[in-house]
């Protein structure tokens, strides 16, 4: 449950980053590719090639960049720091870009497969999102059946997420009192 809470924290950060990158790319695409109007009837959508060829890869790069940078530097994203989790290789080293990318691919594999199956069986975007969410939960359900608590993507990518021990930090008020003396 702690891992899912950290994922939720990180998801909020990633969502805000995706909103920002989408906003910038939408403005750029609108300025470069479309005639803008002043009335609601003038509204248009960006071309499909721009959405699929520019905006979607940028969303993937945002996701890979977010996790890759944090896992390479400290082994912890901001959500993982909050819940005292750390992702390392099975020999205890921080992940490099390759290991980060492999871990992300394996973490997305089951949700993507479930989304495809959900779309084929039930049709529609809601079925795809619901099925992808079930696939994500299945990744973490493996933790309950694994003696070491590894998720499916941990096993496939030869990484592990560990619970970091609590460190006694000096409170902010105690540190301010020391500075004042």
């Amino acid at each position: 449950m702690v891992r899912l809470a950290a994922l939720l924290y990180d998801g909020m950060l990633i969502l805000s980053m995706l909103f920002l990158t989408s906003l910038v790319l939408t403005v750029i695409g609108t300025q470069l590719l479309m005639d803008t109007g002043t009335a609601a009837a003038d509204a248009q959508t960006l071309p499909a090639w721009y959405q699929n060829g520019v905006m979607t890869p940028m969303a993937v790069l945002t996701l890979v960049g977010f996790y890759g940078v944090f896992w390479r530097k400290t082994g912890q994203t901001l959500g993982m720091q909050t819940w005292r989790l750390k992702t390392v290789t099975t020999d205890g080293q921080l992940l490099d870009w390759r290991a980060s990318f492999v871990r992300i691919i394996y973490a997305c594999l089951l949700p993507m497969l479930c989304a495809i199956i959900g779309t084929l069986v039930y049709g529609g975007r809601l079925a795809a999102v619901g099925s992808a969410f079930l696939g994500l939960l299945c990744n973490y359900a493996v933790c309950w059946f694994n003696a070491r608590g590894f998720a499916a993507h941990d096993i496939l990518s030869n990484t592990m997420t560990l619970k970091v021990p609590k460190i006694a930090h000096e409170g902010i008020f105690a540190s301010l009192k020391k500075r004042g003396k």
Side-chain angles (χ1 to χ4, degrees):
M1 294 310 287
V2 172
R3 292 174 79 163
L4 290 175
L7 186 66
L8 181 65
Y9 277 39
D10 289 336
M12 289 186 279
L13 293 169
I14 291 169
L15 192 59
S16 65
M17 291 171 59
L18 289 173
F19 280 138
L20 182 62
T21 56
S22 294
L23 174 70
V24 169
L25 290 176
T26 300
V27 168
I28 291 170
T30 301
Q31 293 298 319
L32 293 177
L33 303 172
M34 300 165 55
D35 293 328
T36 56
T38 56
D42 298 332
Q44 303 175 39
T45 58
L46 286 167
W49 69 264
Y50 185 80
Q51 292 178 23
N52 297 328
V54 176
M55 295 181 77
T56 300
M58 186 53 72
V60 172
L61 286 174
T62 301
L63 178 71
V64 170
F66 176 83
Y67 282 108
V69 166
F70 280 109
W71 286 340
R72 285 188 70 240
K73 297 295 179 189
T74 62
Q76 297 177 297
T77 61
L78 297 174
M80 293 170 79
Q81 289 175 20
T82 303
W83 292 96
R84 297 188 343 255
L85 298 173
K86 186 172 186 171
T87 297
V88 294
T89 61
T90 51
D91 58 349
Q93 301 299 314
L94 291 176
L95 279 61
D96 58 11
W97 279 111
R98 183 188 170 287
S100 296
F101 188 73
V102 167
R103 180 179 166 83
I104 291 167
I105 292 297
Y106 281 130
C108 294
L109 195 62
L110 187 59
M112 283 191 304
L113 182 63
C114 288
I116 292 168
I117 292 170
T119 303
L120 292 175
V121 172
Y122 299 106
R125 185 173 283 175
L126 185 61
V129 171
S131 299
F133 183 71
L134 287 176
L136 179 73
L137 291 178
C138 287
N139 268 347
Y140 290 99
V142 173
C143 294
W144 291 327
F145 303 108
N146 184 311
R148 297 180 71 187
F150 290 178
H153 50 275
D154 288 327
I155 296 166
L156 294 170
S157 64
N158 292 323
T159 60
M160 58 184 164
T161 301
L162 307 170
K163 184 79 170 175
V164 178
K166 196 172 197 174
I167 300 171
H169 290 287
E170 183 177 32
I172 189 166
F173 295 113
S175 66
L176 290 174
K177 286 181 185 178
K178 284 184 180 178
R179 284 187 186 173
K181 290 183 181 179

